[in-house]
Amino acid sequence: MDSNVNFDYLKYLSASSDKKAILNELMNAYGKDVWNYAYSITRKWDQADDITQEVFIKVYRNLSTFRSESSVKTWLLAITRNMTLDYRKSAFYRKVTLVDFFASRGEFEQAASTEHEVLGKMAVNEMWDMVLKLPVKYREVLILYAHHQLSMKEMAEVLGVSEGTIKSRLFHARGKISKMKES
């Protein structure tokens, strides 16, 4: 099956009440997109792993709530964004981030962490580095537009803002990338 799960197939699976089969199809088709989007917001592999797992648990529990008003991909990316924002607000996230901050300032500063090595490998080109340096609101629109190829309308649905806001953010994100290229 290609990367876009067919709505008729999804309805067929729903009718047969085989939630595991539906989940398996969604994970195969969109698991990488969900993980990449979570990583693009958090910039941490372990958090992207946790969020991806939580997204698909939530999808499994709420399959019956999918109303086909948007594409499956848009629905999953909206859930991913909301889960990521919730995760970042949680006390656990704040504690881990604080511990990471102090650990990097102390004796561990000289030893390159696994996270930094992974980030270095992920940032294989200059453009990806620049995109990751952007504030989240600009990074999100560029990734949704360029990587996930969502329309303005779909991006507005995922982010919960107007299409005009999406256009504005894309314009400003491109401007910031241009400035980074010049320096």
Side-chain angles (χ1 to χ4, degrees), residues 18-62:
D18 192 355
K19 288 173 68 175
K20 288 181 183 177
I22 296 170
L23 183 66
N24 190 40
E25 288 294 328
L26 292 175
M27 288 172 66
N28 288 332
Y30 299 108
K32 191 173 183 179
D33 289 331
V34 167
W35 188 90
N36 285 334
Y37 189 44
Y39 177 80
S40 73
I41 297 171
T42 63
R43 298 186 208 170
K44 295 188 184 265
W45 280 62
D46 56 336
Q47 290 175 9
D49 289 344
D50 292 346
I51 291 165
T52 300
Q53 183 176 3
E54 290 298 319
V55 165
F56 284 109
I57 289 170
K58 186 170 188 167
V59 166
Y60 181 79
R61 290 179 182 150
N62 296 296

Side-chain angles (χ1 to χ4, degrees), residues 4-178:
N4 291 319
V5 174
N6 183 319
F7 287 116
D8 295 329
Y9 183 69
L10 196 60
K11 287 178 184 175
Y12 164 76
L13 288 175
S14 295
S16 70
S17 348
D18 192 355
K19 288 173 68 175
K20 288 181 183 177
I22 296 170
L23 183 66
N24 190 40
E25 288 294 328
L26 292 175
M27 288 172 66
N28 288 332
Y30 299 108
K32 191 173 183 179
D33 289 331
V34 167
W35 188 90
N36 285 334
Y37 189 44
Y39 177 80
S40 73
I41 297 171
T42 63
R43 298 186 208 170
K44 295 188 184 265
W45 280 62
D46 56 336
Q47 290 175 9
D49 289 344
D50 292 346
I51 291 165
T52 300
Q53 183 176 3
E54 290 298 319
V55 165
F56 284 109
I57 289 170
K58 186 170 188 167
V59 166
Y60 181 79
R61 290 179 182 150
N62 296 296
L63 273 172
S64 62
T65 66
F66 179 68
R67 298 182 303 256
S68 299
E69 292 173 2
S70 62
S71 71
V72 174
K73 185 176 186 176
T74 302
W75 183 57
L76 288 170
L77 292 177
I79 292 169
T80 304
R81 181 176 189 267
N82 291 336
M83 293 290 275
T84 303
L85 295 175
D86 290 346
Y87 187 85
R88 294 180 85 188
K89 290 177 191 172
S90 74
F92 173 78
Y93 173 80
R94 289 192 304 272
K95 287 176 186 172
V96 168
T97 304
L98 192 59
V99 168
D100 287 347
F101 173 75
F102 284 115
S104 71
R105 309 263 345 215
E107 63 188 356
F108 302 107
E109 192 170 13
Q110 294 173 354
S113 71
T114 304
E115 179 182 327
H116 286 99
E117 288 176 31
V118 169
L119 284 175
K121 289 177 184 175
M122 287 297 295
V124 292
N125 65 42
E126 188 176 318
M127 186 60 73
W128 185 245
D129 282 337
M130 286 186 260
V131 170
L132 287 177
K133 289 177 184 172
L134 291 173
V136 173
K137 70 180 185 178
Y138 299 127
R139 192 175 347 131
E140 280 183 317
V141 294
L142 281 177
I143 290 168
L144 290 174
Y145 181 75
H147 182 71
H148 297 288
Q149 300 175 346
L150 296 186
S151 68
M152 298 287 175
K153 182 180 179 182
E154 289 172 322
M155 286 189 291
E157 288 176 28
V158 169
L159 300 176
V161 297
S162 71
E163 286 183 57
T165 301
I166 296 297
K167 290 177 185 176
S168 173
R169 287 182 183 176
L170 268 175
F171 175 80
H172 290 292
R174 289 177 180 142
K176 289 182 179 296
I177 292 289
S178 293

